[in-house]
Amino acid sequence: MLVAAAVCPHPPLLVPELAGAAAAELDELRAACAAAVGLLRDAVPDAIVVVGGADRAVTYGADASGSLAPWGPDVRTGQGEPVLPLSLSIGRWLLEREHMTASGFHSISFDAAPAECAALGERLAATAGRVAMLVMADGSACLTEKSPGYLDLRARPYNTAIVGALGRAEAPALAELDPGEAAGLWFAGRAALQVLGGAAGSLNGEILYDDAPYGVGYFVARWTE
């Protein structure tokens, strides 16, 4: 069963080596991610699983590695040939910063149907007696005129509503997210959040960070027993 979860964004600039001189701009976000990830350890789980969006659904083992070379310096996570997509590479990087390891890494297609996401969440929650989940999910990229998807006036209330649901640990609200609406608002974390919705039982939520420093919604949440 799921006993704890952390939700973090996965921008490459979260890694200081890629941010360069602008690294300090995301110090608060990094600190929030560290606090949320540390909570997973505090839950004393039997297994930690990492979930993130990608072009296709793939299950990777605990030894899977990643590289951030496509976005800047070749920062590596893990050993061996890099195979992890961006979301899971950042997830592994966050765990390594806290001297933690995962039992597996699971990508879910950005356009996966809600039922597929929920089914994956249910399976992952059943993999051990006490499961902790690190969910990598970016918010809307249509929050300002400088956003990658430009400004869409629907985006901010949509993003705010999802952050509110995370703060209240409302799994049903995540399950109800519409893939088409999320895609239209460039809400890339929809599928990963619906995996969390499928895994969760009765937990308590808290938001540790909620901002859009580069016109993209970045939020950090933690769910606990």
Side-chain angles (χ1 to χ4, degrees):
M1 62 179 290
L2 188 74
V3 298
V7 178
C8 297
H10 50 82
L13 293 180
L14 193 61
V15 179
E17 291 90 333
L18 276 71
E25 295 177 5
L26 294 183
D27 280 350
E28 184 180 354
L29 174 57
R30 289 188 198 94
C33 289
V37 170
L39 169 80
L40 302 182
R41 181 198 297 112
D42 297 342
V44 194
D46 299 314
I48 297 175
V49 296
V50 184
V51 175
D55 292 333
R56 59 194 181 99
V58 181
T59 291
Y60 303 91
D63 59 348
S65 61
S67 169
L68 299 179
W71 298 274
D74 188 11
V75 176
R76 298 289 182 102
T77 59
Q79 304 295 323
E81 186 68 20
V83 295
L84 296 176
L86 173 63
S87 61
L88 300 182
S89 294
I90 297 294
R92 176 152 194 164
W93 179 81
L94 288 173
L95 287 175
E96 289 180 349
R97 290 181 78 219
E98 301 303 313
H99 309 289
M100 298 165 61
T101 58
S103 60
F105 298 84
H106 308 266
S107 65
I108 184 74
S109 175
F110 289 121
D111 61 358
E116 179 184 352
C117 300
L120 175 58
E122 291 174 5
R123 290 199 302 272
L124 294 179
T127 56
R130 295 179 61 83
V131 176
M133 182 179 291
L134 173 56
V135 181
M136 308 305 298
D138 287 352
S140 175
C142 296
L143 297 175
T144 72
E145 292 183 354
K146 295 183 179 180
S147 296
Y150 195 62
L151 174 65
D152 189 318
L153 296 180
R154 301 171 300 164
R156 190 164 295 279
Y158 182 85
N159 201 82
T160 298
I162 294 177
V163 172
L166 288 171
R168 296 184 295 272
E170 292 180 351
L174 302 181
E176 293 171 359
L177 296 176
D178 179 73
E181 185 178 19
L185 296 175
W186 291 40
F187 197 102
R190 187 273 311 171
L193 291 178
Q194 289 192 309
V195 174
L196 172 61
S202 179
L203 297 173
N204 300 304
E206 181 183 7
I207 299 299
L208 303 183
Y209 181 95
D210 177 21
D211 203 353
Y214 304 124
V216 180
Y218 297 149
F219 41 78
V220 178
R222 58 182 181 183
W223 288 14
T224 59
E225 290 182 295

